[in-house]
Amino acid sequence: MGRRLILGLAVLVSGVCGQAVGFSVPVAAHVEAGNNGVSAVMHIAPDDNPTAGQPTLIIFYMSGQGQNFSVASCGCQLEVRKDGKVVSTAIVEPADETTTDGQASVTFPDEGVYDFRLTGTDGGRKFVIPYVVRANPAGGTTDAAAGTNVLMVGLASLAIVSILAYYNITRGGRYRAAPVKSR
Amino acid sequence: MWFKHWLAGIRLYIGVATVLVAADVWWWAQVSFGGGTIAVVRAEEVYAWLALAILVAALVIGPLLKIEPNLPGKPLLRDARRLLGVSAAVFATLHVGISYVALFHAANPFSLASVYQKAFGLGVVALVVLLAMAFTSFDRAFMGMGIWWFRLHRLVYVALLLAVMHAFMVGSHASSAPALLFIGWVAVLLLGMHITVVARRGVQPTNWQLVTLACTALFALAIFNYGLTQHLGHNILLHWHDPGGHHHG
């Protein structure tokens, strides 16, 4: 029994560690916007966390009103603006063998908030899809120290709840006296 | 009196911990990523992973108690299981609500790219199952629904498979090596525990049990292979002899 329990706990702990590794993996963001019948979900590769001064791949998963919409024929362009001024313009090209995924490469000159305008035509109708993107300063993408402090506060509060739970549950004797038969 | 009853039970603390974790994740995302879209994205993604992890924790308890009947704290674990399921449903709702409103701007799902339509469909079905279970996770529902309570709550495995499939479809990093490792580990653990339970029961398993286990294992393998295909860029089951297949990155 004891060995089995230890084995079980080891398996659980290894799973939790695996989970922790999973959490540390950056995740994908998908921001949707649309105009004039065209919808596009934007993803910034690889991490939706662009850094100034580095080429960044912007991917659009698009859909039009008709079945014939294609990135190759929409004449799609991506305009990048900051403080109302156009910083750069990029052509949106087909991303892969599908006809509705497009991509463009953008380099943000410095940190700050940028306005994206994805433009093109679908069946002769022009569409303009806006997005807002924040580029981080080169060398530092997040305020990791502040984030760690918040996580420590969270862990401390969970520790307090655990202590309270242990104290009240052992003192109450609810599980000892009358086992719960719920499922 | 009722307050003392709740104070001496595990459910109250799991509920409080759920609220604390949800608030702390939101705070962490806002502080770490300076607000804006990226902070919302990070928060809703962590909520999704938490929902999945807590759901797995709840699912492990059932077979674990059958394999180890003398496990210390058995009544407590049994009691905790229900609230863990509710907690998973809460995090899944936060994930869906925040994604749909803040990132997808409450768009008509049918106007989205087809991969998102399919992924949304799977995710919504999984959420409906989790919510149905959460809303019937109290004693009166358990007594009143009879056999249907068990039938409904067995759908949790369907919800888990759909949620993983949903993650593989639109969470591009869900098919990364560490995430695949974690998901594969969980699948082997859960299936292994259920097979152990059936094998140890001492009576011949029914055809229904065998078919359910085999189908679940096959579905899990197929979904895992889908994630692996996303990761490698080629289907390892179909092209096992072609390790250098097309890679999507």
Side-chain angles (χ1 to χ4, degrees):
Chain A
M1 166 64 198
R3 284 175 64 185
R4 276 195 206 145
L5 190 61
I6 290 167
L7 185 69
L9 282 174
V11 173
L12 275 175
V13 168
S14 67
V16 171
C17 293
Q19 178 191 321
V21 173
F23 274 127
S24 69
V25 174
V27 289
H30 305 100
V31 182
E32 193 273 345
N35 175 241
N36 244 350
V38 176
S39 160
V41 180
M42 180 183 67
H43 168 53
I44 302 175
D47 202 13
D48 279 294
N49 207 14
T51 303
Q54 293 177 6
T56 304
L57 192 64
I58 316 290
I59 301 167
F60 295 99
Y61 302 96
M62 301 170 73
S63 66
Q65 265 188 330
Q67 294 293 318
N68 297 326
F69 177 81
S70 88
V71 175
S73 63
C74 72
C76 294
Q77 281 200 333
L78 180 64
E79 201 173 81
V80 182
R81 295 171 177 227
K82 192 178 184 194
D83 301 326
K85 292 175 188 167
V86 178
V87 175
S88 66
T89 306
I91 292 170
V92 178
E93 294 170 334
D96 52 25
E97 64 272 13
T98 67
T99 57
T100 52
D101 298 349
Q103 65 182 30
S105 181
V106 168
T107 302
F108 299 96
D110 48 36
E111 68 167 299
V113 177
Y114 290 83
D115 293 312
F116 276 9
R117 282 160 65 96
L118 174 65
T119 59
T121 54
D122 176 24
R125 293 202 305 172
K126 192 176 177 186
F127 62 86
V128 181
I129 304 177
Y131 302 90
V132 178
V133 175
R134 189 176 70 90
N136 293 291
T141 55
T142 60
D143 192 349
T148 307
N149 287 340
V150 171
L151 288 180
M152 295 302 286
V153 171
L155 285 175
S157 60
L158 283 181
I160 292 168
V161 171
S162 303
I163 291 166
L164 281 173
Y166 179 78
Y167 176 73
N168 285 316
I169 289 170
T170 48
R171 205 177 61 145
R174 179 170 148 186
Y175 299 110
R176 210 172 37 235
V180 176
K181 290 185 178 171
S182 64
R183 293 187 58 122
Chain B
M1 188 64 190
W2 62 268
F3 186 69
K4 275 190 178 174
H5 176 79
W6 278 101
L7 216 55
I10 188 69
R11 294 185 192 177
L12 173 72
Y13 303 100
I14 294 176
V16 171
T18 300
V19 174
L20 283 174
V21 170
D24 195 61
V25 166
W26 185 262
W27 187 18
W28 164 80
Q30 296 298 321
V31 165
S32 299
F33 300 98
T37 308
I38 189 71
V40 176
V41 167
R42 288 295 179 267
E44 61 90 7
E45 288 280 359
V46 173
Y47 287 146
W49 281 106
L50 281 171
L52 216 51
I54 293 169
L55 190 61
V56 167
L59 286 176
V60 163
I61 291 176
L64 181 70
L65 292 182
K66 284 178 183 159
I67 292 169
E68 288 293 350
N70 300 319
L71 196 73
K74 189 177 173 182
L76 185 142
L77 283 174
R78 203 175 262 174
D79 202 19
R81 183 169 51 169
R82 240 191 240 178
L83 240 285
L84 286 175
V86 173
S87 177
V90 167
F91 282 116
T93 307
L94 282 171
H95 162 70
V96 171
I98 292 170
S99 307
Y100 187 58
V101 174
L103 301 180
F104 285 82
H105 307 115
N108 175 2
F110 297 104
S111 73
L112 299 175
S114 91
V115 66
Y116 283 91
Q117 288 186 25
K118 290 170 191 163
F120 271 33
L122 296 176
V124 165
V125 173
L127 180 68
V128 167
V129 171
L130 286 182
L131 286 177
M133 289 170 56
F135 282 114
T136 54
S137 283
F138 52 94
D139 291 336
R140 199 178 291 176
F142 175 64
M143 305 297 270
M145 288 173 71
I147 189 71
W148 285 101
W149 192 92
F150 292 97
R151 286 176 180 162
L152 171 68
H153 283 245
R154 269 180 206 143
L155 287 177
V156 68
Y157 287 97
V158 176
L160 182 66
L161 290 174
L162 293 180
V164 172
M165 186 77 185
H166 162 86
F168 282 150
M169 287 179 90
V170 288
S172 60
H173 293 83
S175 52
S176 65
L180 277 172
L181 206 65
F182 167 63
I183 291 167
W185 177 88
V186 164
V188 169
L189 176 76
L190 281 174
L191 279 168
M193 289 176 99
H194 278 284
I195 289 167
T196 310
V197 168
V198 170
R200 276 199 189 174
R201 198 169 281 167
V203 290
Q204 193 80 10
T206 63
N207 286 338
W208 175 241
Q209 281 174 326
L210 290 175
V211 168
T212 308
L213 264 178
C215 284
T216 310
L218 274 175
F219 271 121
L221 184 66
I223 291 170
F224 186 76
N225 185 52
Y226 177 76
L228 201 62
T229 303
Q230 304 274 72
H231 177 66
L232 296 173
H234 68 280
N235 191 325
I236 202 165
L237 290 184
L238 295 178
H239 305 287
W240 56 272
H241 55 282
D242 176 26
H246 178 61
H247 189 86
H248 289 301

